[in-house]
Amino acid sequence: MRDILRIPFLQIDAFTQEAFRGNPAAVCPLDEWLPDMVLQAIARENNVSETAFFVPSETNDADFHLRWFTPETEMDLCGHATLAAGHAILSTMRGQNEAVRFSSHSGVLIVSMDDDILSMDFPARRPVPAVAPDISDHVFGAKPIACYSGGRDYLFVFEDEKTVRRLKPDFEALKTLGSHGFIATAKGDDSDFVSRCFFPAFGVDEDPVTGSAHCVSAPFWAEKLSKNDLFARQLSPRGGELWLKVAEDRVHISGHCVEVIAGEMSVPVPVLLSSEV
């Protein structure tokens, strides 16, 4: 029998209080980093929008180092998988009402737990007006009324919530616009604002609930609505709810998590040593 490395595995639905809603994230605690190609293969096998991996930090500024992989590539920032990783640590390893610090490609990210709600301290990515790509008038099935750039992600503003709900994006056309995410947003009917998020270039056509996108959309709506405390809904088929607080160059993103799967992944040791996965 081949040697097997057994990796703890959790699947956690983030930004929801109900199982099988919100955004499912896979969480894999590691003792040390595996080769990137193995991390990517595990994320591809999990086939959820993001898999979070973390290892104990060797520095004093963080407790763990955190990385995120879609089925296709590594990401620079992911909200729902960070929330899920925080839930995994704070609910099973440290007890309630504490915080965990992650070092990451986007700096130090802090997740705290108060009763059953988790909060993240993320960098704000304030959007700036941008020239909309030529195809944006038809690629969503509706014409946006404004376009902004938040760095990695475009922010497209639509007339109302109903329009955002009815969008039918052409994902192949979106891929031609390069390695960007696309946030569609509008003022909400029973929330401050709503959104849908599309990342086809990263292997995720529509993300169920996207914490990192609210680093862009929350500062935008805070300015538009003249309020820093916001409640948002993401209108994917699974749906999700986020509570947001915009403060200077940070966005505090809060939500719930529900654990739905706990077990182990079995990775053959020869795979770890192979140059091809």
Side-chain angles (χ1 to χ4, degrees):
M1 182 176 178
R2 294 188 297 178
D3 291 336
I4 298 292
L5 175 66
R6 301 198 179 276
I7 299 172
F9 171 86
L10 297 170
Q11 186 162 307
I12 295 170
D13 292 341
F15 296 118
T16 180
Q17 298 183 67
E18 301 176 51
F20 315 127
R21 294 183 63 81
N23 200 351
V27 178
C28 294
L30 302 172
D31 293 327
E32 59 184 4
W33 288 120
L34 303 176
D36 285 6
M37 62 183 180
V38 176
L39 300 180
Q40 187 64 72
I42 292 171
R44 190 178 304 118
E45 180 72 14
N46 292 337
N47 200 33
V48 293
S49 55
E50 260 94 7
T51 297
F53 300 95
F54 58 84
V55 302
S57 175
E58 296 181 351
T59 63
N60 292 328
D61 63 341
D63 304 302
F64 298 91
H65 185 58
L66 177 66
R67 297 171 69 185
W68 313 272
F69 286 76
T70 76
E72 298 295 332
T73 190
E74 184 172 8
M75 298 295 285
D76 67 332
L77 184 64
C78 176
H80 83 281
T82 302
L83 201 76
H87 174 83
I89 293 169
L90 295 173
S91 64
T92 62
M93 299 169 63
R94 297 190 171 202
Q96 303 291 313
N97 301 316
E98 294 189 26
V100 59
R101 300 168 301 160
F102 295 109
S103 60
S104 76
H105 291 310
S106 292
V108 175
L109 308 175
I110 300 172
V111 181
S112 59
M113 176 178 279
D114 186 3
D115 292 328
D116 64 343
I117 195 165
L118 294 115
S119 297
M120 302 184 294
D121 178 9
F122 266 35
R125 293 179 167 179
R126 294 183 180 274
V128 296
V131 177
D134 292 339
I135 64 173
S136 62
D137 283 1
H138 64 269
V139 73
F140 293 106
K143 184 176 180 178
I145 60 176
C147 175
Y148 296 80
S149 172
R152 183 193 69 187
D153 303 333
Y154 278 110
L155 180 72
F156 292 96
V157 183
F158 290 87
E159 186 172 354
D160 53 30
E161 178 174 320
K162 182 169 65 175
T163 301
V164 173
R165 285 186 182 276
R166 292 180 175 179
L167 295 179
K168 296 181 178 179
D170 181 339
F171 296 118
E172 291 303 315
L174 286 177
K175 286 181 182 179
T176 68
L177 299 179
S179 297
H180 298 286
F182 303 93
I183 307 164
T185 190
K187 193 174 185 304
D189 295 338
D190 62 352
S191 62
D192 290 304
F193 68 94
V194 298
S195 63
R196 291 173 66 188
C197 297
F198 313 107
F199 298 88
F202 301 111
V204 180
D205 283 347
E206 179 165 5
D207 196 35
V209 195
T210 316
S212 63
H214 291 78
C215 295
V216 179
S217 56
F220 172 82
W221 286 109
E223 182 176 344
K224 287 291 182 183
L225 301 176
S226 299
K227 57 188 300 188
N228 290 327
D229 293 285
L230 303 160
F231 172 62
R233 296 188 186 278
Q234 196 151 328
L235 302 180
S236 67
R238 291 177 64 104
E241 301 176 334
L242 307 93
W243 288 263
L244 308 153
K245 184 178 181 65
V246 179
E248 298 297 332
D249 60 346
R250 309 296 293 181
V251 177
H252 300 273
I253 305 170
S254 299
H256 297 88
C257 282
V258 180
E259 181 184 303
V260 293
I261 302 174
E264 291 182 332
M265 297 195 72
S266 300
V267 179
V269 169
V271 169
L272 302 177
L273 303 176
S274 172
S275 60
E276 297 181 3
V277 178

